Amino acid sequence: MKKVILVRVGEIILKGLNRPVFEEKLVNNIKKSIGSLGKIAVIRSQARIYVEPVEDEYDYNYNEAIDRLTRVFGIVSVSPVLKIESDFNVIKEQSAKMVKNLIEKKCYSSFKVEAKRGNKKFPMQSPEISRELGSHIWENNQQLKVDVNNPDFIFYVEVRESTYIYSEIIPANGGMPIGTNGKAMLLLSGGIDSPVAGWMIAKRGVEIEAVHFYSYPYTSERAKDKVIELAKILASYCGQIKLHIVPFTDIQLEINDKCPEDELTIIMRRVMMEIAEKIAESVGAMALITGESVGQVASQTIQSLAVTNIVVDMPVFRPLIGMDKNEVIDRARKIGTFETSILPYEDCCTVFVAKHPKTKPRLEKILKSEELLNIEKLVEKAIADTEIIRITV
Ligand code: ATP
Ligand code: MG
């Protein structure tokens, strides 16, 4: 008898001939995510993956392992499962016990049994297993009633070489395994939006690195710590993140000095994109990611986005583009970044900001203002002085 974890995969199943590649990545990501908790064996079987502890002490970390697996992209749901001998007496005894434990914790009053027989050598067929096991569970837990149409919980039995029994299905995030869709560079501020944007693209299997523009001493050391903390939360989904911290003060001072006040934000954003693209190229990332949403602020009107976008050749992913702030906040709460994002440390965008930034910038005019800047050297220096922090869980 052993506690194992049943992992269900989603979209990977649709991958046809490429499926083994996707599955292999997922299995590797599972091992990376929970390998440090104890020795495990990861066993693939049809559209499922079973994670089995090899050592007994693993019991101790069982809940932590389940929690971590719900964060691995490519997994649709997980179930804590008991693996037992395929012997009907053992199945009856363990099932009744499991249900007893369950109803001590939850106020369920009805159930049904769903049995699947994958092992044709087992002497009973699925409907018979469901029926017999249902009545045995009921005999031992008579406060429950059987309800085949609308039960409070379903008790699952899968008879294979061994038998697996469980009742709980914990939803995970789905998506694709990280590393199956190349790499992208996330522009990570300390705000609410950009961590969510990074999470959404990572969910599609894209490996993420992040770049943060830092304006010390106009922004504090704590503002940097906040971004590191956000990157850590993202890393709990992605496995690891390389965070590039770019010193941005000299560039901002130069822009502040030479350009019209109402163009500061847009010019600053153009320089950010340019630097992000250069760093992305140097690490083999093929796209940029931002947390922009159309119309949210002056720098995110359709005109501003066009003027910003034109600086770079890479595709820019803006997964929040059509989302309302409330929808982004909901998502930030779900993924666990919200509480950190709302800590009140200033961001470089909020320090050097115009009272009335342009909402309809014209490219020719912006290009003219940029001619006044002596920025090439400053950009080079900022990139050379970039600090790289490797963040793992
Ligand atoms: P967020 O909540 O992510 O800070 P925002 O609504 O405050 O976004 P802006 O400040 O206009 O919007 O920034 C738009 C996008 O530009 C951000 O989502 C982020 O991707 C990027 N960005 C802004 N400031 C920085 C920064 N200091 N470092 C890295 N990227 C940044
Ligand atoms: Mg911001």
Side-chain angles (χ1 to χ4, degrees), residues 1-4 6 50 52 81-92 94-95 98 113-119 122-124 129 133 155-166:
M1 191 163 69
K2 212 174 218 181
K3 277 175 165 178
V4 306
L6 166 58
Y50 294 91
E52 295 199 3
V81 169
L82 201 60
K83 180 182 178 185
I84 53 181
E85 209 181 312
S86 287
D87 170 310
F88 198 56
N89 283 327
V90 177
I91 296 173
K92 280 199 297 193
Q94 292 302 329
S95 300
M98 188 184 259
V113 173
E114 240 179 65
K116 247 196 231 145
R117 186 185 63 150
N119 174 357
F122 193 77
M124 298 158 78
I129 302 174
L133 191 60
F155 190 81
Y156 298 93
V157 195
E158 294 179 11
V159 183
R160 299 170 192 254
E161 195 75 45
S162 298
T163 292
Y164 300 86
I165 56 174
Y166 61 95

mmCIF file of all heavy atoms in Angstrom, residues 1-4 6 50 52 81-92 94-95 98 113-119 122-124 129 133 155-166:
data_model
loop_
_atom_site.group_PDB
_atom_site.id
_atom_site.type_symbol
_atom_site.label_atom_id
_atom_site.label_comp_id
_atom_site.label_asym_id
_atom_site.label_seq_id
_atom_site.Cartn_x
_atom_site.Cartn_y
_atom_site.Cartn_z
ATOM 1 N N MET A 1 0.840 -1.201 0.000
ATOM 2 C CA MET A 1 0.000 0.000 0.000
ATOM 3 C C MET A 1 0.876 1.252 0.000
ATOM 4 O O MET A 1 1.853 1.318 0.724
ATOM 5 C CB MET A 1 -0.850 -0.001 1.273
ATOM 6 C CG MET A 1 -1.911 1.028 1.248
ATOM 7 S SD MET A 1 -3.158 0.686 2.498
ATOM 8 C CE MET A 1 -2.296 0.988 3.991
ATOM 9 N N LYS A 2 0.518 2.194 -0.843
ATOM 10 C CA LYS A 2 1.373 3.367 -0.979
ATOM 11 C C LYS A 2 0.529 4.580 -1.348
ATOM 12 O O LYS A 2 -0.431 4.464 -2.117
ATOM 13 C CB LYS A 2 2.316 3.071 -2.157
ATOM 14 C CG LYS A 2 3.679 3.679 -2.031
ATOM 15 C CD LYS A 2 4.544 3.193 -3.170
ATOM 16 C CE LYS A 2 5.958 2.931 -2.727
ATOM 17 N NZ LYS A 2 6.808 2.486 -3.813
ATOM 18 N N LYS A 3 0.911 5.728 -0.799
ATOM 19 C CA LYS A 3 0.259 6.965 -1.232
ATOM 20 C C LYS A 3 0.936 7.423 -2.511
ATOM 21 O O LYS A 3 2.165 7.618 -2.518
ATOM 22 C CB LYS A 3 0.482 8.052 -0.186
ATOM 23 C CG LYS A 3 -0.465 8.027 0.987
ATOM 24 C CD LYS A 3 0.030 9.085 1.928
ATOM 25 C CE LYS A 3 -0.914 9.500 2.984
ATOM 26 N NZ LYS A 3 -0.295 10.499 3.862
ATOM 27 N N VAL A 4 0.199 7.586 -3.583
ATOM 28 C CA VAL A 4 0.802 8.110 -4.810
ATOM 29 C C VAL A 4 -0.002 9.327 -5.272
ATOM 30 O O VAL A 4 -1.044 9.649 -4.694
ATOM 31 C CB VAL A 4 0.863 7.038 -5.937
ATOM 32 C CG1 VAL A 4 1.553 5.790 -5.462
ATOM 33 C CG2 VAL A 4 -0.514 6.711 -6.455
ATOM 34 N N LEU A 6 -1.808 11.001 -8.616
ATOM 35 C CA LEU A 6 -2.236 10.818 -10.005
ATOM 36 C C LEU A 6 -2.277 12.187 -10.680
ATOM 37 O O LEU A 6 -2.887 13.124 -10.166
ATOM 38 C CB LEU A 6 -3.621 10.166 -10.010
ATOM 39 C CG LEU A 6 -4.405 10.166 -11.310
ATOM 40 C CD1 LEU A 6 -3.632 9.484 -12.427
ATOM 41 C CD2 LEU A 6 -5.743 9.463 -11.114
ATOM 42 N N TYR A 50 1.650 8.795 -13.030
ATOM 43 C CA TYR A 50 1.608 8.478 -11.597
ATOM 44 C C TYR A 50 2.941 8.846 -10.974
ATOM 45 O O TYR A 50 3.998 8.479 -11.491
ATOM 46 C CB TYR A 50 1.359 6.982 -11.383
ATOM 47 C CG TYR A 50 -0.006 6.551 -11.858
ATOM 48 C CD1 TYR A 50 -0.202 6.102 -13.167
ATOM 49 C CD2 TYR A 50 -1.108 6.615 -11.015
ATOM 50 C CE1 TYR A 50 -1.461 5.730 -13.627
ATOM 51 C CE2 TYR A 50 -2.367 6.247 -11.464
ATOM 52 C CZ TYR A 50 -2.534 5.808 -12.762
ATOM 53 O OH TYR A 50 -3.783 5.450 -13.203
ATOM 54 N N GLU A 52 5.148 8.276 -7.839
ATOM 55 C CA GLU A 52 5.236 7.374 -6.684
ATOM 56 C C GLU A 52 6.464 7.670 -5.857
ATOM 57 O O GLU A 52 7.562 7.755 -6.383
ATOM 58 C CB GLU A 52 5.354 5.919 -7.165
ATOM 59 C CG GLU A 52 4.140 5.444 -7.881
ATOM 60 C CD GLU A 52 4.077 3.922 -7.928
ATOM 61 O OE1 GLU A 52 4.971 3.270 -7.347
ATOM 62 O OE2 GLU A 52 3.138 3.416 -8.550
ATOM 63 N N VAL A 81 -3.903 9.665 -4.159
ATOM 64 C CA VAL A 81 -4.445 8.345 -4.469
ATOM 65 C C VAL A 81 -3.765 7.301 -3.589
ATOM 66 O O VAL A 81 -2.587 7.414 -3.277
ATOM 67 C CB VAL A 81 -4.149 8.031 -5.966
ATOM 68 C CG1 VAL A 81 -4.448 6.580 -6.299
ATOM 69 C CG2 VAL A 81 -4.955 8.941 -6.870
ATOM 70 N N LEU A 82 -4.538 6.277 -3.210
ATOM 71 C CA LEU A 82 -3.935 5.158 -2.499
ATOM 72 C C LEU A 82 -3.768 4.007 -3.495
ATOM 73 O O LEU A 82 -4.721 3.619 -4.173
ATOM 74 C CB LEU A 82 -4.844 4.741 -1.335
ATOM 75 C CG LEU A 82 -4.187 3.963 -0.233
ATOM 76 C CD1 LEU A 82 -3.055 4.759 0.411
ATOM 77 C CD2 LEU A 82 -5.234 3.594 0.826
ATOM 78 N N LYS A 83 -2.531 3.507 -3.582
ATOM 79 C CA LYS A 83 -2.264 2.384 -4.492
ATOM 80 C C LYS A 83 -2.271 1.110 -3.654
ATOM 81 O O LYS A 83 -1.508 0.990 -2.691
ATOM 82 C CB LYS A 83 -0.890 2.596 -5.128
ATOM 83 C CG LYS A 83 -0.480 1.504 -6.095
ATOM 84 C CD LYS A 83 0.913 1.801 -6.609
ATOM 85 C CE LYS A 83 1.395 0.715 -7.540
ATOM 86 N NZ LYS A 83 2.786 0.944 -7.955
ATOM 87 N N ILE A 84 -3.163 0.191 -4.007
ATOM 88 C CA ILE A 84 -3.287 -1.031 -3.207
ATOM 89 C C ILE A 84 -3.271 -2.257 -4.107
ATOM 90 O O ILE A 84 -3.300 -2.147 -5.340
ATOM 91 C CB ILE A 84 -4.599 -1.002 -2.371
ATOM 92 C CG1 ILE A 84 -5.802 -0.728 -3.283
ATOM 93 C CG2 ILE A 84 -4.513 0.038 -1.263
ATOM 94 C CD1 ILE A 84 -7.122 -0.660 -2.555
ATOM 95 N N GLU A 85 -3.274 -3.402 -3.479
ATOM 96 C CA GLU A 85 -3.270 -4.675 -4.200
ATOM 97 C C GLU A 85 -4.598 -4.848 -4.948
ATOM 98 O O GLU A 85 -5.651 -4.469 -4.427
ATOM 99 C CB GLU A 85 -3.166 -5.766 -3.134
ATOM 100 C CG GLU A 85 -2.479 -7.039 -3.541
ATOM 101 C CD GLU A 85 -2.522 -7.991 -2.342
ATOM 102 O OE1 GLU A 85 -2.184 -7.540 -1.224
ATOM 103 O OE2 GLU A 85 -2.933 -9.136 -2.531
ATOM 104 N N SER A 86 -4.559 -5.474 -6.125
ATOM 105 C CA SER A 86 -5.803 -5.706 -6.858
ATOM 106 C C SER A 86 -6.497 -6.971 -6.337
ATOM 107 O O SER A 86 -6.590 -7.994 -7.026
ATOM 108 C CB SER A 86 -5.522 -5.821 -8.356
ATOM 109 O OG SER A 86 -5.214 -4.558 -8.872
ATOM 110 N N ASP A 87 -6.954 -6.892 -5.133
ATOM 111 C CA ASP A 87 -7.646 -8.004 -4.488
ATOM 112 C C ASP A 87 -8.916 -7.401 -3.903
ATOM 113 O O ASP A 87 -8.851 -6.413 -3.153
ATOM 114 C CB ASP A 87 -6.716 -8.559 -3.397
ATOM 115 C CG ASP A 87 -7.394 -9.574 -2.481
ATOM 116 O OD1 ASP A 87 -8.513 -9.281 -1.960
ATOM 117 O OD2 ASP A 87 -6.809 -10.635 -2.272
ATOM 118 N N PHE A 88 -10.084 -7.972 -4.241
ATOM 119 C CA PHE A 88 -11.326 -7.265 -3.909
ATOM 120 C C PHE A 88 -11.530 -7.075 -2.402
ATOM 121 O O PHE A 88 -12.114 -6.078 -1.989
ATOM 122 C CB PHE A 88 -12.535 -7.948 -4.560
ATOM 123 C CG PHE A 88 -13.724 -7.024 -4.610
ATOM 124 C CD1 PHE A 88 -13.640 -5.774 -5.226
ATOM 125 C CD2 PHE A 88 -14.934 -7.372 -4.011
ATOM 126 C CE1 PHE A 88 -14.719 -4.901 -5.258
ATOM 127 C CE2 PHE A 88 -16.028 -6.505 -4.051
ATOM 128 C CZ PHE A 88 -15.915 -5.268 -4.678
ATOM 129 N N ASN A 89 -11.037 -8.032 -1.595
ATOM 130 C CA ASN A 89 -11.166 -7.851 -0.139
ATOM 131 C C ASN A 89 -10.364 -6.645 0.346
ATOM 132 O O ASN A 89 -10.832 -5.855 1.159
ATOM 133 C CB ASN A 89 -10.716 -9.109 0.610
ATOM 134 C CG ASN A 89 -11.800 -10.163 0.526
ATOM 135 O OD1 ASN A 89 -12.993 -9.832 0.498
ATOM 136 N ND2 ASN A 89 -11.387 -11.424 0.439
ATOM 137 N N VAL A 90 -9.139 -6.517 -0.193
ATOM 138 C CA VAL A 90 -8.302 -5.367 0.172
ATOM 139 C C VAL A 90 -8.972 -4.075 -0.311
ATOM 140 O O VAL A 90 -9.042 -3.075 0.407
ATOM 141 C CB VAL A 90 -6.888 -5.503 -0.456
ATOM 142 C CG1 VAL A 90 -6.037 -4.283 -0.155
ATOM 143 C CG2 VAL A 90 -6.207 -6.778 0.023
ATOM 144 N N ILE A 91 -9.487 -4.112 -1.510
ATOM 145 C CA ILE A 91 -10.133 -2.913 -2.085
ATOM 146 C C ILE A 91 -11.305 -2.477 -1.201
ATOM 147 O O ILE A 91 -11.454 -1.299 -0.868
ATOM 148 C CB ILE A 91 -10.620 -3.192 -3.541
ATOM 149 C CG1 ILE A 91 -9.420 -3.482 -4.460
ATOM 150 C CG2 ILE A 91 -11.423 -2.002 -4.082
ATOM 151 C CD1 ILE A 91 -9.779 -3.927 -5.872
ATOM 152 N N LYS A 92 -12.117 -3.452 -0.789
ATOM 153 C CA LYS A 92 -13.286 -3.123 0.047
ATOM 154 C C LYS A 92 -12.841 -2.485 1.363
ATOM 155 O O LYS A 92 -13.345 -1.437 1.767
ATOM 156 C CB LYS A 92 -14.100 -4.402 0.343
ATOM 157 C CG LYS A 92 -14.995 -4.807 -0.813
ATOM 158 C CD LYS A 92 -16.109 -5.744 -0.400
ATOM 159 C CE LYS A 92 -15.576 -7.058 0.136
ATOM 160 N NZ LYS A 92 -16.619 -8.082 0.267
ATOM 161 N N GLN A 94 -9.981 -1.061 2.298
ATOM 162 C CA GLN A 94 -9.306 0.248 2.208
ATOM 163 C C GLN A 94 -10.273 1.350 1.758
ATOM 164 O O GLN A 94 -10.160 2.489 2.189
ATOM 165 C CB GLN A 94 -8.100 0.176 1.247
ATOM 166 C CG GLN A 94 -6.953 -0.671 1.756
ATOM 167 C CD GLN A 94 -6.432 -0.186 3.110
ATOM 168 O OE1 GLN A 94 -6.471 0.998 3.422
ATOM 169 N NE2 GLN A 94 -5.974 -1.112 3.941
ATOM 170 N N SER A 95 -11.214 0.985 0.887
ATOM 171 C CA SER A 95 -12.166 1.993 0.398
ATOM 172 C C SER A 95 -13.064 2.466 1.538
ATOM 173 O O SER A 95 -13.285 3.675 1.708
ATOM 174 C CB SER A 95 -13.033 1.415 -0.725
ATOM 175 O OG SER A 95 -12.216 1.002 -1.788
ATOM 176 N N MET A 98 -11.064 4.750 3.702
ATOM 177 C CA MET A 98 -10.797 6.060 3.089
ATOM 178 C C MET A 98 -12.035 6.950 3.174
ATOM 179 O O MET A 98 -11.953 8.143 3.489
ATOM 180 C CB MET A 98 -10.360 5.882 1.625
ATOM 181 C CG MET A 98 -9.893 7.171 0.982
ATOM 182 S SD MET A 98 -9.489 6.989 -0.764
ATOM 183 C CE MET A 98 -7.737 6.878 -0.758
ATOM 184 N N VAL A 113 -20.024 5.235 -6.538
ATOM 185 C CA VAL A 113 -18.726 4.647 -6.878
ATOM 186 C C VAL A 113 -18.602 4.592 -8.396
ATOM 187 O O VAL A 113 -19.560 4.252 -9.095
ATOM 188 C CB VAL A 113 -18.589 3.211 -6.293
ATOM 189 C CG1 VAL A 113 -17.307 2.547 -6.799
ATOM 190 C CG2 VAL A 113 -18.615 3.253 -4.778
ATOM 191 N N GLU A 114 -17.444 4.994 -8.901
ATOM 192 C CA GLU A 114 -17.180 4.837 -10.330
ATOM 193 C C GLU A 114 -15.972 3.944 -10.498
ATOM 194 O O GLU A 114 -14.869 4.324 -10.101
ATOM 195 C CB GLU A 114 -16.908 6.208 -10.949
ATOM 196 C CG GLU A 114 -17.926 6.544 -12.050
ATOM 197 C CD GLU A 114 -17.676 7.916 -12.652
ATOM 198 O OE1 GLU A 114 -16.623 8.119 -13.280
ATOM 199 O OE2 GLU A 114 -18.554 8.771 -12.472
ATOM 200 N N ALA A 115 -16.199 2.778 -11.046
ATOM 201 C CA ALA A 115 -15.093 1.818 -11.173
ATOM 202 C C ALA A 115 -14.661 1.700 -12.626
ATOM 203 O O ALA A 115 -15.465 1.821 -13.547
ATOM 204 C CB ALA A 115 -15.541 0.462 -10.649
ATOM 205 N N LYS A 116 -13.357 1.496 -12.807
ATOM 206 C CA LYS A 116 -12.817 1.237 -14.143
ATOM 207 C C LYS A 116 -11.923 0.023 -14.039
ATOM 208 O O LYS A 116 -11.070 -0.046 -13.144
ATOM 209 C CB LYS A 116 -11.969 2.432 -14.579
ATOM 210 C CG LYS A 116 -12.569 3.186 -15.724
ATOM 211 C CD LYS A 116 -11.540 4.088 -16.353
ATOM 212 C CE LYS A 116 -12.105 5.498 -16.471
ATOM 213 N NZ LYS A 116 -11.140 6.533 -16.285
ATOM 214 N N ARG A 117 -12.109 -0.907 -14.960
ATOM 215 C CA ARG A 117 -11.250 -2.080 -14.904
ATOM 216 C C ARG A 117 -10.325 -2.068 -16.122
ATOM 217 O O ARG A 117 -10.774 -2.229 -17.252
ATOM 218 C CB ARG A 117 -12.097 -3.354 -14.891
ATOM 219 C CG ARG A 117 -11.275 -4.600 -14.689
ATOM 220 C CD ARG A 117 -12.117 -5.846 -14.799
ATOM 221 N NE ARG A 117 -12.697 -5.983 -16.135
ATOM 222 C CZ ARG A 117 -12.965 -7.154 -16.701
ATOM 223 N NH1 ARG A 117 -12.744 -8.274 -16.068
ATOM 224 N NH2 ARG A 117 -13.490 -7.199 -17.913
ATOM 225 N N GLY A 118 -9.048 -1.833 -15.904
ATOM 226 C CA GLY A 118 -8.097 -1.880 -17.007
ATOM 227 C C GLY A 118 -7.432 -3.234 -17.083
ATOM 228 O O GLY A 118 -6.880 -3.617 -18.114
ATOM 229 N N ASN A 119 -7.536 -3.986 -16.014
ATOM 230 C CA ASN A 119 -6.875 -5.284 -15.923
ATOM 231 C C ASN A 119 -7.915 -6.381 -16.188
ATOM 232 O O ASN A 119 -8.743 -6.698 -15.342
ATOM 233 C CB ASN A 119 -6.294 -5.391 -14.498
ATOM 234 C CG ASN A 119 -5.696 -6.748 -14.219
ATOM 235 O OD1 ASN A 119 -5.740 -7.651 -15.046
ATOM 236 N ND2 ASN A 119 -5.140 -6.887 -13.011
ATOM 237 N N PHE A 122 -8.756 -9.321 -13.826
ATOM 238 C CA PHE A 122 -9.525 -9.150 -12.592
ATOM 239 C C PHE A 122 -10.912 -9.764 -12.796
ATOM 240 O O PHE A 122 -11.575 -9.492 -13.790
ATOM 241 C CB PHE A 122 -9.632 -7.657 -12.246
ATOM 242 C CG PHE A 122 -10.129 -7.389 -10.872
ATOM 243 C CD1 PHE A 122 -9.288 -7.539 -9.780
ATOM 244 C CD2 PHE A 122 -11.445 -7.009 -10.650
ATOM 245 C CE1 PHE A 122 -9.746 -7.302 -8.495
ATOM 246 C CE2 PHE A 122 -11.923 -6.774 -9.370
ATOM 247 C CZ PHE A 122 -11.067 -6.920 -8.286
ATOM 248 N N PRO A 123 -11.374 -10.610 -11.863
ATOM 249 C CA PRO A 123 -12.578 -11.430 -12.126
ATOM 250 C C PRO A 123 -13.906 -10.671 -12.192
ATOM 251 O O PRO A 123 -14.898 -11.253 -12.621
ATOM 252 C CB PRO A 123 -12.581 -12.426 -10.962
ATOM 253 C CG PRO A 123 -11.772 -11.773 -9.879
ATOM 254 C CD PRO A 123 -10.756 -10.939 -10.574
ATOM 255 N N MET A 124 -13.977 -9.434 -11.760
ATOM 256 C CA MET A 124 -15.267 -8.723 -11.803
ATOM 257 C C MET A 124 -15.230 -7.614 -12.859
ATOM 258 O O MET A 124 -14.193 -7.030 -13.104
ATOM 259 C CB MET A 124 -15.549 -8.065 -10.440
ATOM 260 C CG MET A 124 -15.670 -9.043 -9.296
ATOM 261 S SD MET A 124 -15.356 -8.212 -7.716
ATOM 262 C CE MET A 124 -16.917 -7.390 -7.470
ATOM 263 N N ILE A 129 -18.144 -4.159 -9.870
ATOM 264 C CA ILE A 129 -17.246 -3.574 -8.858
ATOM 265 C C ILE A 129 -17.937 -2.382 -8.214
ATOM 266 O O ILE A 129 -17.998 -2.262 -6.995
ATOM 267 C CB ILE A 129 -15.896 -3.119 -9.481
ATOM 268 C CG1 ILE A 129 -15.185 -4.292 -10.165
ATOM 269 C CG2 ILE A 129 -14.990 -2.487 -8.424
ATOM 270 C CD1 ILE A 129 -13.922 -3.903 -10.937
ATOM 271 N N LEU A 133 -18.874 -2.593 -4.314
ATOM 272 C CA LEU A 133 -18.064 -1.706 -3.476
ATOM 273 C C LEU A 133 -18.947 -0.622 -2.857
ATOM 274 O O LEU A 133 -18.806 -0.292 -1.681
ATOM 275 C CB LEU A 133 -16.944 -1.080 -4.312
ATOM 276 C CG LEU A 133 -15.888 -0.351 -3.521
ATOM 277 C CD1 LEU A 133 -15.199 -1.285 -2.534
ATOM 278 C CD2 LEU A 133 -14.834 0.252 -4.457
ATOM 279 N N PHE A 155 -16.535 8.289 -5.557
ATOM 280 C CA PHE A 155 -15.396 7.483 -5.108
ATOM 281 C C PHE A 155 -14.892 6.686 -6.319
ATOM 282 O O PHE A 155 -15.631 5.911 -6.918
ATOM 283 C CB PHE A 155 -15.836 6.539 -3.978
ATOM 284 C CG PHE A 155 -14.678 5.879 -3.317
ATOM 285 C CD1 PHE A 155 -13.934 6.539 -2.351
ATOM 286 C CD2 PHE A 155 -14.290 4.591 -3.687
ATOM 287 C CE1 PHE A 155 -12.828 5.941 -1.756
ATOM 288 C CE2 PHE A 155 -13.188 3.988 -3.107
ATOM 289 C CZ PHE A 155 -12.458 4.657 -2.135
ATOM 290 N N TYR A 156 -13.648 6.950 -6.694
ATOM 291 C CA TYR A 156 -13.100 6.336 -7.902
ATOM 292 C C TYR A 156 -12.256 5.114 -7.568
ATOM 293 O O TYR A 156 -11.452 5.148 -6.628
ATOM 294 C CB TYR A 156 -12.217 7.330 -8.658
ATOM 295 C CG TYR A 156 -12.958 8.558 -9.149
ATOM 296 C CD1 TYR A 156 -13.006 9.709 -8.374
ATOM 297 C CD2 TYR A 156 -13.596 8.555 -10.390
ATOM 298 C CE1 TYR A 156 -13.683 10.842 -8.812
ATOM 299 C CE2 TYR A 156 -14.280 9.685 -10.838
ATOM 300 C CZ TYR A 156 -14.318 10.824 -10.045
ATOM 301 O OH TYR A 156 -14.984 11.933 -10.484
ATOM 302 N N VAL A 157 -12.429 4.070 -8.355
ATOM 303 C CA VAL A 157 -11.608 2.865 -8.221
ATOM 304 C C VAL A 157 -11.092 2.507 -9.598
ATOM 305 O O VAL A 157 -11.882 2.359 -10.534
ATOM 306 C CB VAL A 157 -12.448 1.643 -7.784
ATOM 307 C CG1 VAL A 157 -11.537 0.525 -7.313
ATOM 308 C CG2 VAL A 157 -13.459 2.013 -6.778
ATOM 309 N N GLU A 158 -9.801 2.403 -9.745
ATOM 310 C CA GLU A 158 -9.241 1.963 -11.023
ATOM 311 C C GLU A 158 -8.454 0.699 -10.798
ATOM 312 O O GLU A 158 -7.439 0.697 -10.110
ATOM 313 C CB GLU A 158 -8.328 3.057 -11.587
ATOM 314 C CG GLU A 158 -9.113 4.295 -11.946
ATOM 315 C CD GLU A 158 -8.230 5.406 -12.491
ATOM 316 O OE1 GLU A 158 -7.037 5.143 -12.783
ATOM 317 O OE2 GLU A 158 -8.739 6.520 -12.606
ATOM 318 N N VAL A 159 -8.949 -0.373 -11.385
ATOM 319 C CA VAL A 159 -8.270 -1.654 -11.194
ATOM 320 C C VAL A 159 -7.337 -1.888 -12.370
ATOM 321 O O VAL A 159 -7.783 -2.034 -13.510
ATOM 322 C CB VAL A 159 -9.294 -2.810 -11.090
ATOM 323 C CG1 VAL A 159 -8.569 -4.124 -10.819
ATOM 324 C CG2 VAL A 159 -10.323 -2.511 -10.013
ATOM 325 N N ARG A 160 -6.069 -1.806 -12.101
ATOM 326 C CA ARG A 160 -5.066 -2.141 -13.114
ATOM 327 C C ARG A 160 -4.201 -3.235 -12.536
ATOM 328 O O ARG A 160 -4.688 -4.009 -11.719
ATOM 329 C CB ARG A 160 -4.226 -0.916 -13.440
ATOM 330 C CG ARG A 160 -5.071 0.216 -13.995
ATOM 331 C CD ARG A 160 -4.289 1.502 -14.088
ATOM 332 N NE ARG A 160 -5.197 2.588 -14.351
ATOM 333 C CZ ARG A 160 -5.321 3.210 -15.521
ATOM 334 N NH1 ARG A 160 -4.547 2.861 -16.536
ATOM 335 N NH2 ARG A 160 -6.181 4.176 -15.688
ATOM 336 N N GLU A 161 -2.907 -3.267 -12.918
ATOM 337 C CA GLU A 161 -1.970 -4.200 -12.279
ATOM 338 C C GLU A 161 -2.117 -4.074 -10.752
ATOM 339 O O GLU A 161 -2.330 -5.039 -10.036
ATOM 340 C CB GLU A 161 -0.548 -3.821 -12.710
ATOM 341 C CG GLU A 161 0.496 -4.866 -12.434
ATOM 342 C CD GLU A 161 0.400 -6.025 -13.403
ATOM 343 O OE1 GLU A 161 0.252 -5.796 -14.634
ATOM 344 O OE2 GLU A 161 0.458 -7.159 -12.921
ATOM 345 N N SER A 162 -2.041 -2.815 -10.295
ATOM 346 C CA SER A 162 -2.418 -2.497 -8.913
ATOM 347 C C SER A 162 -3.757 -1.770 -8.986
ATOM 348 O O SER A 162 -4.223 -1.444 -10.074
ATOM 349 C CB SER A 162 -1.400 -1.564 -8.279
ATOM 350 O OG SER A 162 -0.147 -2.166 -8.224
ATOM 351 N N THR A 163 -4.332 -1.477 -7.836
ATOM 352 C CA THR A 163 -5.600 -0.730 -7.839
ATOM 353 C C THR A 163 -5.391 0.633 -7.186
ATOM 354 O O THR A 163 -4.639 0.763 -6.224
ATOM 355 C CB THR A 163 -6.687 -1.540 -7.109
ATOM 356 O OG1 THR A 163 -6.976 -2.680 -7.917
ATOM 357 C CG2 THR A 163 -7.958 -0.721 -6.909
ATOM 358 N N TYR A 164 -6.050 1.615 -7.763
ATOM 359 C CA TYR A 164 -5.917 2.995 -7.270
ATOM 360 C C TYR A 164 -7.284 3.461 -6.788
ATOM 361 O O TYR A 164 -8.265 3.331 -7.524
ATOM 362 C CB TYR A 164 -5.431 3.904 -8.394
ATOM 363 C CG TYR A 164 -4.090 3.493 -8.962
ATOM 364 C CD1 TYR A 164 -4.001 2.541 -9.984
ATOM 365 C CD2 TYR A 164 -2.904 4.021 -8.456
ATOM 366 C CE1 TYR A 164 -2.769 2.150 -10.493
ATOM 367 C CE2 TYR A 164 -1.675 3.630 -8.957
ATOM 368 C CZ TYR A 164 -1.610 2.699 -9.977
ATOM 369 O OH TYR A 164 -0.396 2.301 -10.470
ATOM 370 N N ILE A 165 -7.333 3.965 -5.553
ATOM 371 C CA ILE A 165 -8.605 4.490 -5.045
ATOM 372 C C ILE A 165 -8.435 5.948 -4.603
ATOM 373 O O ILE A 165 -7.403 6.311 -4.053
ATOM 374 C CB ILE A 165 -9.179 3.648 -3.873
ATOM 375 C CG1 ILE A 165 -8.176 3.532 -2.720
ATOM 376 C CG2 ILE A 165 -9.616 2.280 -4.347
ATOM 377 C CD1 ILE A 165 -8.751 2.826 -1.484
ATOM 378 N N TYR A 166 -9.454 6.757 -4.895
ATOM 379 C CA TYR A 166 -9.380 8.173 -4.517
ATOM 380 C C TYR A 166 -10.750 8.832 -4.661
ATOM 381 O O TYR A 166 -11.651 8.275 -5.298
ATOM 382 C CB TYR A 166 -8.359 8.921 -5.377
ATOM 383 C CG TYR A 166 -8.659 8.923 -6.865
ATOM 384 C CD1 TYR A 166 -9.337 9.991 -7.459
ATOM 385 C CD2 TYR A 166 -8.273 7.860 -7.673
ATOM 386 C CE1 TYR A 166 -9.604 10.004 -8.816
ATOM 387 C CE2 TYR A 166 -8.545 7.862 -9.031
ATOM 388 C CZ TYR A 166 -9.205 8.932 -9.593
ATOM 389 O OH TYR A 166 -9.476 8.928 -10.935
#
